[in-house]
């Protein structure tokens, strides 16, 4: 796992599942296909002769730009984003990092967790993955770890709840 | 632990004041009377008293009268039932309410999770000498519980009782049918907390807002000035340049909205008084609707001293706080610990909510934090190399750490200084965007409950940010172990036993240990 300058030193990061990349790519592709289809509307209309106002090159350029963006997103951005997600369980708290352009690093003490959710969408389920979501009393410290195998998710949930219970303090 | 469950079944259920459904539903009644009387009046004005219902032939009149009385009777029955079905109960550990005629609602809250208590008196309730009791509970985002309406003196007594119990003083009310172990606890607790039940905690007024300062501060409000300018400039320019005095009429809506803003501020802030009491900080304010707030000292999640730009020439400050349960929307009024005050008032209010400053020189820290950019008390600041990111504020952006809290300062035009107690830290976040990366800086945010304050140390050098991040995580963990301030008056060893009482069902079955 690449070490980013803002990371604290000496922390062993756990990575999310390899399969999570596929989940992200599939979800992203669905969105991108819809987007490219919308961008192709002027081209189709022009080819059918319904519209004549967009210059032909604009009509072609729109879906092509959409396609290029899709390729960049799927081939470069998403893999890097997925690689950037990491979590580490420490003695007193849970560390989570994410983001490449906008990096975010979060630490949430176990004693502050109010409850823990495990969620799985249809694509997640197809790959046997889930998302663990933790809730604290603060709206900005609600960390989530996406794309972890279901067994690991169940273990984390148990672990976090148990540790949270043991260390639970008042607000 | 079986004592608690018995408590729960033995504590009597109380009802709110019988007149309260009317106080809540008076709009309907008054509305009906208004519509009726206006109909009569308008027909009378037209000289057409034949329109009066009583002039109708009796075979039409009687059904109409019947329906009218039926509706009134229904309303009364509804009022009676809703009063009848609304009950509340206070036990050692819980507050419970039951309400609703068809859809029954039960709600309960753990007293040791009560974050703050307000007594609110809307105008009509005040006329009848009634008050609403609102308490904020932070159990998983549940909304406030409220009891409306009680006699004002009862509301006060109840507030004192709940606060005393929330503070961990277990004042058991005398139970006529107490079993053996219930009496045991009574005997055990009465020695330590005799008379807590009803004793009104003494108050010492520490800060008030004179009307002149309140008016001044209301007028020097950025929103107000923007609204005023937005209306004044075009109208005046139009009136002067085009010499059409008629455009001055356009001032009217502007004046009205400005008036509304000022009135709102004055109405809410009238008679603002902050006092110290053993329960915590007491706030009292309001003209048509008076509120009495009590914020226990252990419930403050973050405090900010704020000097808005337009107030600075007058040396006025505002102190706001994050209290769990107050939330963002409704909390704006309620989160003001000091509406507008001088520096002395800030000095007076802060120690009540932050009893332990954790430094030898709390006043120096405060003044340093509020002054332009002096640095004698060890603020770690934005590095000079990142000055271009915030050319005005970089000299002020920084944090200092005391043994009990972290102090964040920032803002050049509108200055602010924020205190976050270590044990209130819900989490720590570090952010770095692409521009910040180029400058070699990062932001550190201390997660706090939702409220007016977002504690964020801006643009620290990466090394500083990283050490703050880890240090804060450790400090928060340590501070939490040392203080369980759920019961903020109980000694630590007792407090460690208190969390997570067993559920009533399970504990009832087992015989007492």
């Amino acid at each position: 796992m690449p070490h980013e300058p803002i990371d604290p030193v000496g922390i062993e990061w756990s990575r999310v599942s390899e399969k999570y990349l596929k989940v992200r790519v599939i979800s992203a592709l669905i969105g991108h296909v819809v987007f490219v289809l919308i961008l192709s509307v002027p081209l189709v209309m022009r080819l059918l002769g319904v519209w004549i106002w967009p210059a032909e090159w604009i009509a072609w350029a729109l879906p092509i730009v959409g396609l290029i963006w899709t390729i960049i997103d799927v081939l470069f951005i998403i893999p890097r984003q997925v690689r950037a997600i990491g979590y580490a369980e420490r003695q007193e708290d849970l560390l989570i990092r994410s983001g490449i352009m906008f990096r975010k690093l979060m630490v949430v003490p176990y004693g502050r967790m109010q409850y823990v959710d495990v969620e799985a969408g249809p694509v997640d389920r197809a790959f046997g993955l889930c998302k663990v979501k933790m809730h604290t009393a603060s709206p900005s410290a609600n960390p989530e770890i996406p794309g972890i195998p279901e067994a690991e998710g169940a273990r984390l949930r148990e672990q976090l709840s148990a540790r949270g219970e043991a260390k639970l303090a008042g607000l | 632990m079986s004592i608690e469950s018995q408590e729960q079944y033995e504590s009597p259920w109380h009802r709110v004041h019988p007149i309260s459904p009317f106080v809540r539903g008076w709009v309907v009644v008054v509305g009906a009377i208004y519509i009726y009387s206006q109909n009569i009046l308008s027909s009378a004005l037209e000289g057409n008293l034949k329109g009066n219902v009583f002039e109708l032939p009796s075979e039409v009149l009687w059904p109409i009268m019947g329906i009218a009385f039926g509706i009134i009777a229904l309303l009364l029955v509804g009022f009676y039932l809703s009063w009848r079905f609304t009950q509340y109960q206070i036990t050692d550990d819980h507050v419970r309410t039951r309400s609703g005629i068809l859809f029954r609602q039960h709600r309960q809250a753990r007293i040791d999770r009560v974050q703050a208590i307000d007594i609110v008196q809307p105008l009509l309730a005040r006329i009848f000498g009634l008050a609403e009791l609102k308490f904020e509970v932070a159990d998983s985002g549940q909304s406030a519980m409220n009891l409306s309406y009680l006699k004002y003196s009862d509301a006060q007594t109840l507030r004192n009782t709940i606060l005393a119990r929330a503070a961990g003083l277990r004042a058991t009310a005398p139970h006529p049918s107490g079993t053996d172990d219930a009496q045991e606890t009574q005997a055990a607790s009465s020695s330590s907390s005799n008379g807590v039940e009803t004793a009104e905690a003494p108050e010492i007024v520490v800060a008030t807002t004179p009307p002149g300062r309140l008016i001044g501060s209301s007028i020097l409000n950025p929103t107000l000035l923007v609204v005023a300018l937005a209306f004044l400039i075009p109208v005046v320019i139009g009136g002067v340049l085009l010499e059409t005095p008629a455009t001055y009429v356009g001032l009217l809506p502007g004046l009205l909205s400005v008036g509304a803003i000022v009135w709102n501020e004055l109405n809410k802030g009238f008679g603002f008084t902050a006092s110290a009491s053993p329960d915590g900080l007491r706030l009292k304010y309001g003209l048509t609707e008076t509120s009495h707030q009590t914020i226990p000292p252990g419930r403050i999640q973050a405090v900010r001293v704020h000097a808005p730009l337009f107030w600075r020439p007058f040396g006025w400050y505002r102190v706001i706080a994050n209290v769990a349960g107050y939330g963002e929307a409704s909390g704006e009024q309620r989160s003001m610990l000091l509406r507008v005050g001088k520096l002395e008032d800030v000095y007076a209010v802060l120690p009540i909510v932050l009893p332990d400053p954790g430094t030898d020189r709390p006043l120096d820290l405060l003044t340093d934090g509020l002054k332009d950019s002096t640095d004698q008390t060890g603020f770690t600041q934005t590095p000079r190399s990142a000055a271009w990111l915030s050319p005005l504020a970089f000299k002020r952006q920084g944090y200092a750490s005391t043994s009990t809290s972290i102090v964040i300062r920032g803002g050049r035009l509108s200055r602010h200084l924020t205190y976050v107690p270590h044990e209130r830290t819900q989490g720590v976040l570090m952010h770095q965007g692409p521009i910040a990366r180029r400058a070699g800086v990062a932001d550190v945010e201390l997660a706090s409950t939702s409220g007016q304050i977002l504690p964020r140390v801006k643009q620290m050098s990466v090394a500083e940010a990283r050490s703050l991040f880890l240090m804060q995580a450790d400090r928060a963990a340590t501070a939490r172990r040392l203080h369980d301030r759920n019961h903020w008056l109980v000694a630590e060893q007792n407090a460690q036993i208190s969390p997570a009482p067993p559920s009533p069902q399970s504990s009832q079955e087992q015989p007492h240990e």
Side-chain angles (χ1 to χ4, degrees):
Chain A
M1 160 151 270
H3 185 80
E4 302 288 356
I6 71 166
D7 288 348
V9 282
I11 283 172
E12 285 293 318
W13 293 102
S14 307
R15 294 272 297 273
V16 299
S17 165
E18 290 291 321
K19 284 185 278 184
Y20 181 57
L21 179 56
K22 292 179 195 155
V23 173
R24 281 290 302 271
V25 167
I26 290 173
S27 319
L29 277 179
I30 296 171
H32 279 300
V33 165
V34 173
F35 188 55
V36 170
L37 282 180
I38 292 170
L39 287 183
S40 335
V41 168
L43 180 64
V44 174
M45 291 304 221
R46 202 187 151 93
L47 291 182
L48 290 177
V50 184
W51 288 355
I52 39 162
W53 52 265
E56 193 156 351
W57 67 270
I58 295 180
W60 278 104
L62 279 174
I64 289 173
V65 168
L67 275 177
I68 293 172
W69 171 243
T70 305
I71 292 167
I72 293 175
D73 193 27
V74 167
L75 285 188
F76 301 99
I77 296 178
I78 292 179
R80 282 200 62 189
Q81 277 178 344
V82 170
R83 260 184 285 141
I85 304 171
Y87 62 97
E89 290 165 83
R90 300 201 308 168
Q91 199 64 31
E92 293 282 345
D93 39 41
L94 181 80
L95 274 165
I96 295 171
R97 50 166 268 183
S98 62
I100 20 169
M101 280 285 273
F102 293 89
R103 289 194 195 128
K104 197 164 122 181
L105 186 66
M106 191 187 310
V107 58
V108 176
Y110 298 129
R112 285 290 175 250
M113 285 174 198
Q114 306 276 319
Y115 56 100
V116 181
D117 278 344
V118 178
E119 291 173 3
V123 191
D124 277 332
R125 267 205 305 278
F127 286 91
L129 298 181
C130 63
K131 176 176 6 172
V132 177
K133 258 178 140 168
M134 285 137 277
H135 297 263
T136 68
S138 162
S140 47
N142 289 328
E144 50 182 61
I145 314 174
I148 47 176
E150 274 164 3
E152 166 76 354
R155 185 195 69 78
L156 259 180
R157 191 194 63 208
E158 290 303 314
Q159 180 95 0
L160 293 175
S161 319
R163 284 184 173 175
E165 206 104 304
K167 296 180 194 298
L168 183 68
L171 284 175
Chain B
M1 276 313 201
S2 60
I3 308 140
E4 281 165 20
S5 60
Q6 265 154 10
E7 277 291 333
Q8 173 195 336
Y9 293 107
E10 280 162 19
S11 289
W13 286 85
H14 302 282
R15 294 217 166 83
V16 296
H17 197 276
I19 209 169
S20 38
F22 172 72
V23 176
R24 243 176 290 144
W26 67 275
V27 181
V28 182
V29 177
V30 169
I33 294 172
Y34 172 77
I35 290 169
Y36 179 72
S37 56
Q38 204 181 28
N39 276 341
I40 299 235
L41 260 182
S42 62
S43 43
L45 280 179
E46 286 160 21
N48 181 16
L49 268 174
K50 290 241 164 7
N52 192 331
V53 279
F54 295 105
E55 301 287 306
L56 288 171
S58 61
E59 62 268 29
V60 189
L61 174 65
W62 286 117
I64 289 182
M65 293 294 277
I67 292 170
F69 278 113
I71 291 173
I72 292 172
L74 259 176
L75 265 177
L76 287 180
V77 169
F79 278 177
Y80 173 73
L81 285 180
S82 88
W83 169 73
R84 185 75 208 179
F85 279 82
T86 308
Q87 287 180 307
Y88 66 93
Q89 181 196 38
I90 316 283
T91 70
D92 268 359
D93 298 288
H94 289 93
V95 182
R96 294 191 180 80
T97 58
R98 291 182 193 157
S99 59
I101 303 169
L102 285 180
F103 299 94
R104 303 282 288 147
Q105 191 192 32
H106 287 237
R107 189 171 259 190
Q108 74 167 27
R110 275 177 56 181
I111 283 188
D112 60 1
R113 287 293 167 105
V114 168
Q115 304 289 321
I117 299 193
D118 296 8
I119 295 180
V120 186
Q121 286 186 292
L123 192 58
L124 195 69
R126 193 153 29 131
I127 292 170
F128 287 107
L130 300 180
E132 180 182 5
L133 201 61
K134 271 188 182 173
F135 29 92
E136 298 298 339
V137 192
D139 279 352
S140 63
Q142 212 181 36
S143 61
M145 302 219 337
N146 37 7
L147 295 174
S148 56
Y149 292 90
L150 307 174
K151 255 164 65 190
Y152 180 61
S153 56
D154 290 350
Q156 273 182 318
T157 316
L158 206 54
R159 173 188 65 187
N160 298 339
T161 311
I162 294 175
L163 279 172
R165 290 188 186 174
L169 300 180
R170 185 159 290 210
T172 327
H175 290 291
S177 61
T179 52
D180 279 347
D181 46 329
Q183 272 163 358
E184 266 169 40
T185 35
Q186 243 176 280
S189 62
S190 59
S191 57
S192 64
S193 58
N194 217 353
V196 166
E197 187 83 16
T198 47
E200 162 88 26
E203 293 184 12
I204 306 154
V205 173
V206 295
T208 54
T209 303
R213 196 190 297 164
L214 180 67
I215 295 171
S217 68
S218 308
I219 290 169
L220 294 169
N221 163 344
T223 334
L224 184 82
L225 293 180
V226 169
V227 169
L229 288 183
F231 275 97
L232 272 177
I233 292 175
V235 168
V236 168
I237 288 179
V240 173
L241 292 186
L242 307 176
E243 289 170 7
T244 44
T247 44
Y248 287 119
V249 178
L251 274 175
L252 201 63
L255 280 178
L256 281 180
S257 55
V258 166
I261 294 175
V262 173
W263 164 249
N264 193 34
E265 288 275 313
L266 292 183
N267 185 21
K268 294 275 169 51
F270 184 80
F272 186 96
T273 311
S275 5
S277 82
D279 296 338
L281 184 67
R282 291 255 171 95
L283 303 174
K284 196 166 74 183
Y285 53 87
L287 185 60
T288 57
E289 175 176 305
T290 48
S291 296
H292 301 245
Q293 262 175 271
T294 308
I295 305 170
R299 299 309 199 209
I300 299 279
Q301 304 279 333
V303 187
R304 171 170 287 177
V305 184
H306 190 212
L309 178 60
F310 300 121
W311 290 6
R312 277 181 43 203
F314 304 91
W316 290 340
Y317 298 90
R318 167 167 286 179
V319 181
I320 57 177
N322 276 1
V323 176
Y326 275 1
E328 232 162 325
S330 71
E332 199 183 342
Q333 294 295 334
R334 298 162 73 193
S335 63
M336 283 182 208
L337 303 187
L338 178 65
R339 198 176 179 95
V340 46
K342 297 265 185 197
L343 200 55
E344 302 93 80
D345 300 330
V346 178
Y347 288 155
V349 167
L350 268 187
I352 304 170
V353 290
L354 297 169
D356 181 6
T359 163
D360 307 335
R361 300 189 295 159
L363 295 188
D364 291 347
L365 187 73
L366 179 67
T367 29
D368 256 15
L370 289 172
K371 259 190 256 154
D372 217 4
S373 53
T374 53
D375 186 18
Q376 287 114 42
T377 37
F379 277 93
T380 308
Q381 279 170 294
T382 299
R384 195 152 260 290
S385 58
W388 55 275
L389 271 179
S390 46
L392 280 182
F394 85 97
K395 271 190 183 161
R396 282 189 36 82
Q397 283 175 169
Y399 76 93
S401 195
T402 75
S403 63
T404 51
S405 54
I406 184 156
V407 187
I408 305 167
R409 73 175 187 189
R412 179 69 173 265
L413 297 177
S414 285
R415 298 175 192 159
H416 50 83
L417 185 73
T418 309
Y419 294 78
V420 184
H422 290 319
E423 72 264 30
R424 294 283 164 270
T425 314
Q426 304 283 335
V428 190
L429 292 91
M430 180 144 65
H431 302 270
Q432 191 188 43
I435 300 171
R437 182 149 69 246
R438 296 211 62 177
V441 292
D443 289 5
V444 177
E445 184 189 332
L446 303 175
S448 182
T449 55
S450 61
Q452 305 289 309
I453 307 172
L454 187 77
R456 189 164 178 158
V457 189
K458 284 192 177 153
Q459 292 150 1
M460 288 288 110
S461 74
V462 167
E464 285 293 349
R466 212 190 309 173
S467 76
L468 172 64
F469 179 80
L470 286 183
M471 202 167 65
Q472 202 51 34
D474 291 347
R475 273 212 196 105
T478 321
R480 251 187 340 270
R481 273 200 303 277
L482 292 180
H483 315 254
D484 182 348
R485 286 222 261 171
N486 238 353
H487 285 156
W488 68 93
L489 276 185
V490 178
E492 279 153 29
Q493 60 271 27
N494 294 341
Q496 278 163 4
I497 314 166
S498 65
S503 63
Q505 288 84 3
S506 61
S507 60
Q508 210 206 3
E509 279 151 36
Q510 64 185 52
H512 85 273
E513 48 266 46

